[in-house]
Amino acid sequence: FRESEFVSILGQSGGGKTTLLNIIGGLDRYTSGDLIINNKSTKNFKDRDWDAYRNYSVGFVFQNYNLIPHQTVLANVELALTLSGVSKKERKQKAIKALEDVGLKEQIHKKPNQLSGGQMQRVAIARALVKEPDVLLLDEPLSNLDARLRLQTREEIKRIQRDTGITTIFVTHDQEEAMSISDEIVVMKLGVMQQMDTPQNVYNNPKNLFVAMFLGTPPINVFKGYIKDKVVYIGDDAVAKTEKDIKDQDLFVAIRPEGFIADNTDSCEFKLACDVDQIQILGRDISIVAKNEHCTKPTLKAIVSNENTTFSGKIKLGIKQSKIYIFDAETEDRIYLD
């Protein structure tokens, strides 16, 4: 990861996100490979080296705030400096500065139970930042907050990271969180990195079917299809073509919900037939919930502009070629059309 970057590690439960974070933080030891810190290998680190690294170079923020309830906010933050040899006066000054950075300077004499969940999480962040670490590690820090507080605290974390310039690694299973605040996203599956790129590139150019399905709300529509003579089919419907020499084979064909066109489909070269199940009004857009026998789920979703809400029965939806992806039916790796 690059200096001053905000990186999110994204994946399902059990995907290896927290294990990777603990290895980066020196809490768990890796069994193969290497961890490079500031261009220095840790392969020959002794216990004392790992202790020094954890105490001075890393700031941790966990899902549970781990605040001491009978101590004040200020004392909780000062506690992070007790092992660093900093004088009592300097500890207080640094703790106040850290609390000011997270917007809690006026709360320093309160106890944790007098704060909201979002404020307690910011105290935990201040406690991690007061050490002036090289890297800040956050392990699902928002999961205990309600939806409104999650949004507020998410924006606050990004502001703090931007203002301090500290390299930050953020573990989450929430793709919306990762997409909204990250410079880069690492998508994990069963301990293996599937893709690392900017949020937009991961969304627009998934490397495999898992990544394509993991990012996107509503999720991407997946169909069983095939390619024949350089034309991609879902059932009898031609939905894409390529100039590349791709062998005839079975495929998974994936289309983003926003990749469909509902109006003026006569001008569309490629269309998909489906049966409309229901129409959901989404303000300026509408969601067409429909059925297609080749879809891997009971229904597919198409997000289209709210210019025509009379869709019903059997219809044909046009397909934007930039929003369709094909994957090997066995390996589920991406096959590139162009």
Side-chain angles (χ1 to χ4, degrees), residues 8 10 174-182 185 199-200 202-203 215-216:
S8 288
L10 182 65
D174 188 319
Q175 51 138 327
E176 184 181 338
E177 283 180 359
M179 292 284 287
S180 65
I181 63 176
S182 306
I185 288 177
Q200 204 59 45
V202 174
Y203 182 82
L215 292 180

Side-chain angles (χ1 to χ4, degrees), residues 13-260:
S13 297
K17 305 184 300 296
T18 296
T19 299
L20 177 58
L21 196 76
N22 288 343
I23 288 172
I24 294 170
L27 296 177
D28 291 339
R29 303 296 169 83
Y30 54 89
T31 56
S32 62
D34 197 2
L35 174 64
I36 309 295
I37 301 167
N38 291 330
N39 297 317
K40 181 180 179 182
S41 170
T42 61
K43 279 186 175 179
N44 297 319
F45 264 30
K46 308 297 183 185
D47 287 344
R48 64 178 180 273
D49 298 317
W50 285 114
D51 289 342
Y53 172 64
R54 286 192 300 270
N55 289 335
Y56 301 109
S57 297
V58 182
F60 286 98
V61 180
F62 298 104
Q63 180 176 339
N64 298 315
Y65 317 125
N66 293 329
L67 302 179
I68 300 173
H70 62 272
Q71 291 194 343
T72 65
V73 165
L74 181 63
N76 268 279
V77 176
E78 283 186 84
L79 189 63
L81 296 173
T82 55
L83 298 177
S84 61
V86 177
S87 68
K88 185 175 181 180
K89 180 179 179 181
E90 189 177 355
R91 285 204 305 267
K92 183 175 181 179
Q93 291 174 340
K94 287 190 171 186
I96 291 174
K97 174 63 168 58
L99 287 164
E100 185 176 10
D101 288 342
V102 300
L104 290 178
K105 188 178 180 181
E106 305 302 319
Q107 314 294 333
I108 62 174
H109 298 302
K110 289 186 176 180
K111 300 288 180 65
N113 62 5
Q114 296 175 291
L115 304 178
S116 69
Q119 288 174 323
M120 285 192 284
Q121 193 57 277
R122 281 189 279 160
V123 173
I125 293 171
R127 185 178 55 192
L129 290 174
V130 76
K131 297 191 299 181
E132 299 176 357
D134 295 326
V135 61
L136 179 64
L137 306 179
L138 303 105
D139 190 4
E140 304 213 32
L142 308 179
S143 57
N144 287 336
L145 306 179
D146 62 38
R148 183 180 60 82
L149 270 179
R150 282 176 76 101
L151 181 61
Q152 290 179 353
T153 309
R154 181 173 82 196
E155 294 171 350
E156 193 67 16
I157 286 174
K158 183 57 180 177
R159 180 195 65 78
I160 293 166
Q161 188 273 336
R162 185 179 61 246
D163 291 348
T164 60
I166 187 171
T167 304
T168 301
I169 303 174
F170 178 87
V171 161
T172 180
H173 63 272
D174 188 319
Q175 51 138 327
E176 184 181 338
E177 283 180 359
M179 292 284 287
S180 65
I181 63 176
S182 306
D183 299 313
E184 287 199 293
I185 288 177
V186 177
V187 183
M188 299 281 293
K189 178 185 179 184
L190 300 177
V192 178
M193 184 178 74
Q194 303 296 302
Q195 188 167 350
M196 178 177 176
D197 209 329
T198 63
Q200 204 59 45
N201 281 343
V202 174
Y203 182 82
N204 287 331
N205 294 296
K207 287 188 174 181
N208 57 43
L209 185 59
F210 176 83
V211 174
M213 294 176 66
F214 201 82
L215 292 180
T217 304
I220 200 166
N221 302 291
V222 181
F223 306 84
K224 292 180 180 179
Y226 60 95
I227 185 168
K228 183 178 180 181
D229 298 330
K230 300 184 181 181
V231 178
V232 179
Y233 293 89
I234 297 174
D236 294 327
D237 294 319
V239 294
K241 67 179 180 180
T242 180
E243 297 301 320
K244 294 178 68 176
D245 290 324
I246 301 173
K247 68 177 183 179
D248 294 354
Q249 59 182 296
D250 290 335
L251 302 168
F252 283 113
V253 182
I255 307 173
R256 294 282 182 200
E258 68 272 21
F260 292 102

